[in-house]
Amino acid sequence: VQLQACGGGLVQAGGSLRLSCAASGRRFSSDTMGWYRQGPGKQRELVATVTSGGTMKYVDSVEGRFTISRDAVKNMVYLQMDSLKPEDTAVYFCNTKSPRWSNVRYEYWGQGTLVTVSS
């Protein structure tokens, strides 16, 4: 299984970036896919997830500014980040994991992509 994330970069506060993650190696249509981030000196935290049924969840700090989406046919998950703030600076990781109803538990991580927001 491979998760390949891209789209990070340097942006000014108030700007936008779109992260993409390409998943390969198995079927992901039932998975919950998402994005996590780890800022300097901080623990990794959940940013947003989307289930196979399209239910989305966001951490409070990005609600209304970030939008997660997925393309089940292309095995892609995206994170549209608008109104970026310096505190959004972090390495962003894509993730896929087994749905809640599954008796088989699994979780996979992609490599991170760095997002730097300047003030």
Side-chain angles (χ1 to χ4, degrees):
V1 173
Q2 281 196 329
L3 300 174
Q4 188 73 30
C6 64
L10 174 63
V11 64
Q12 286 190 331
S16 298
L17 282 174
R18 188 190 193 212
L19 305 183
S20 300
C21 179
S24 61
R26 60 181 298 279
R27 289 183 63 187
F28 300 92
S29 56
S30 298
D31 290 10
T32 293
M33 303 187 79
W35 292 92
Y36 291 70
R37 67 186 179 186
Q38 187 166 13
K42 298 181 181 179
Q43 290 188 331
R44 189 175 297 190
E45 66 170 349
L46 181 148
V47 177
T49 59
V50 56
T51 68
S52 59
T55 300
M56 294 170 281
K57 182 172 71 173
Y58 298 91
V59 67
D60 288 347
S61 61
V62 308
E63 186 80 55
R65 300 188 297 121
F66 291 10
T67 304
I68 190 170
S69 61
R70 65 190 289 173
D71 185 326
V73 174
K74 296 181 179 179
N75 283 336
M76 298 287 292
V77 61
Y78 306 96
L79 186 68
Q80 178 66 40
M81 305 185 294
D82 298 317
S83 302
L84 281 160
K85 303 176 180 180
E87 51 263 44
D88 295 319
T89 295
V91 178
Y92 285 71
F93 300 88
C94 60
N95 170 281
T96 186
K97 61 186 178 184
S98 50
R100 286 189 173 185
W101 48 260
S102 174
N103 292 325
V104 178
R105 311 305 298 174
Y106 54 85
E107 186 171 28
Y108 301 101
W109 293 91
Q111 94 293 353
T113 185
L114 176 63
V115 172
T116 304
V117 184
S118 63
S119 57

